[in-house]
Amino acid sequence: MTVKGRVFSGARPTGRQHLGNYCGAILNYVALQQDYDCVYCVVDLHALTTLQDTHDLKENTYEMVLDWLAAGMDPEKSIIFVQSHVPQVTELHTILSMVTPMGWLSRLPTFKEKVRQQPDNVNYGLLGYPVLMAADITLYKADTVPVGEDQVPHLEFTREIVRRFNHVFGETLIEPQEKLTETPRIMGLDGVNKMSKSLDNHIELAATAEEIRRRVMTMVTDPARQYKSDPGNPDVCNVFALHKVFTSSPAQVEQIGAECRKATIGCVEHKKQFAEDLILSLAPLREQRAELSRDPELVWSILADGAERARVIAQQTITEVKSRVGLP
Ligand code: SF4
């Protein structure tokens, strides 16, 4: 196998993962492991910028990583660790902040959005968030970052910081490139908003069969279809969209779509079928999760090992950076 380069990606510790996380990130993380040297980080320090209540950070980290591992993220192939376990990232953040003009940060639309969202907690961390992100990526010498189209400007910001640092102190840091990933936008059970835990419109990967059946039955379908005798439009129906992802028989799902258009199948019948297919699709992941959770220390020892490997790369980078900067 030829390794193409090093990937870095981080995710906030959001606890048990749902179908949206799975299709939007985890499946991609697993696939990238085949071709890249991957570094996957639980960005707990980033989470502090918006959290005032931190009591469940540890549990959320545990639950998220358990899902990652159960889904096939492999600590033998990838470095999986927690951001704050490698303190060099905060050193690099400080150094990079010295080459990042305030104006760049305060003009960012994401910062303005956060100020609108949490006017009572406009902390420095919010402003410096993109600098910490640049530190995350460059500390591990990543040349590739998987992003969706909407995150490309964020990565460009990292590149700007890198260019500025390299211009001032000499070629040291790697300018990361984006790897555009087409991720389906997974809608929530309401069919209107993106699937999200905070909106409680999600289905957890670890949900029980009963929970999956119950949640699927609440899903909003084609809003124009009121009666079974009305022909439906699967193209605007979230049940259909998700069923196409979670099935062992795409042909059967297409068949259901055709029946929907002819009004020969009702939404309740389709949902029941979808729920069973979803339960079946997630069964291996659920079993693996149960197996991994038998040893409550396993996740933490995997994360400790990941941090140890990450620190080796981090120390190398920070030593080079400090020497370039001229720190004694
Ligand atoms: S039959 Fe299926 S695809 Fe058609 S509207 Fe109902 S749930 Fe959606």
Side-chain angles (χ1 to χ4, degrees):
M1 182 189 76
T2 317
V3 172
K4 287 182 186 162
R6 180 171 293 153
V7 156
F8 176 90
S9 190
R12 287 176 176 231
T14 50
R16 287 181 172 219
Q17 302 289 278
H18 54 65
L19 301 184
N21 305 128
Y22 185 66
C23 299
I26 300 173
L27 280 175
N28 192 34
Y29 284 174
V30 173
L32 286 169
Q33 296 181 129
Q34 303 310 317
D35 296 325
Y36 291 85
D37 176 10
C38 296
V39 179
Y40 294 131
C41 179
V42 181
V43 290
D44 55 346
L45 294 173
H46 281 290
L48 295 182
T49 59
T50 50
L51 286 183
Q52 281 177 308
D53 179 3
T54 56
H55 78 275
D56 52 6
L57 260 181
K58 190 172 174 189
E59 192 190 329
N60 282 345
T61 299
Y62 177 84
E63 295 289 345
M64 182 167 89
V65 174
L66 199 54
D67 277 334
W68 280 5
L69 299 172
M73 289 170 65
D74 183 351
E76 299 284 322
K77 291 184 186 152
S78 305
I79 298 180
I80 303 172
F81 72 108
V82 176
Q83 186 184 28
S84 66
H85 292 177
V86 183
Q88 287 88 342
V89 77
T90 56
E91 285 187 85
L92 187 56
H93 169 234
T94 305
I95 294 172
L96 292 183
S97 73
M98 308 303 172
V99 295
T100 310
M102 274 284 288
W104 285 11
L105 294 166
S106 58
R107 278 196 296 272
L108 281 176
T110 40
F111 173 64
K112 291 181 181 167
E113 180 57 25
K114 284 284 177 227
V115 171
R116 259 193 303 276
Q117 284 172 0
Q118 52 183 68
D120 299 331
N121 183 21
V122 183
N123 53 67
Y124 161 73
L126 277 183
L127 187 72
Y129 193 106
V131 187
L132 183 55
M133 196 178 106
D136 280 323
I137 299 168
T138 53
L139 186 64
Y140 302 105
K141 299 178 187 282
D143 50 27
T144 307
V145 179
V147 289
E149 199 96 43
D150 54 330
Q151 294 159 322
V152 172
H154 298 187
L155 195 62
E156 178 52 22
F157 194 83
T158 292
R159 284 196 289 264
E160 280 181 34
I161 296 176
V162 169
R163 283 195 285 268
R164 189 146 168 139
F165 181 92
N166 288 348
H167 175 73
V168 176
F169 297 110
E171 215 54 41
T172 314
L173 301 173
I174 295 173
E175 261 190 60
Q177 302 304 314
E178 63 262 13
K179 180 170 173 52
L180 276 179
T181 41
E182 273 193 37
T183 48
R185 187 174 148 88
I186 300 296
M187 304 307 286
L189 305 181
D190 52 18
V192 181
N193 298 294
K194 206 174 148 186
M195 188 172 281
S196 115
K197 202 177 239 186
S198 56
L199 295 173
D200 194 24
N201 66 359
H202 64 297
I203 296 177
E204 289 179 350
L205 297 176
T208 62
E210 254 340 285
E211 177 75 356
I212 289 176
R213 287 189 191 104
R214 195 179 62 73
R215 292 227 150 205
V216 166
M217 291 318 283
T218 68
M219 285 180 77
V220 172
T221 63
D222 170 6
R225 191 179 191 204
Q226 293 193 355
Y227 304 104
K228 188 180 167 184
S229 53
D230 297 337
N233 179 5
D235 297 337
V236 299
C237 175
N238 197 26
V239 176
F240 188 70
L242 279 176
H243 201 173
K244 283 197 284 189
V245 181
F246 297 97
T247 178
S248 57
S249 170
Q252 191 199 23
V253 180
E254 286 308 324
Q255 174 66 25
I256 292 175
E259 288 178 26
C260 167
R261 290 182 205 281
K262 289 186 287 183
T264 53
I265 187 171
C267 294
V268 171
E269 191 184 339
H270 184 188
K271 284 180 180 178
K272 282 184 181 163
Q273 180 64 53
F274 168 53
E276 295 316 308
D277 284 355
L278 184 57
I279 291 165
L280 219 60
S281 300
L282 295 179
L285 190 150
R286 266 201 317 277
E287 280 160 23
Q288 182 64 8
R289 194 182 206 279
E291 180 65 34
L292 292 167
S293 63
R294 260 183 219 141
D295 175 2
E297 286 311 311
L298 183 68
V299 164
W300 298 117
S301 72
I302 285 172
L303 289 173
D305 175 64
E308 206 174 304
R309 288 153 65 200
R311 275 196 295 268
V312 173
I313 310 169
Q315 191 50 46
Q316 225 176 33
T317 307
I318 202 71
T319 304
E320 283 164 21
V321 164
K322 283 178 167 175
S323 147
R324 285 283 192 187
V325 170
L327 289 170

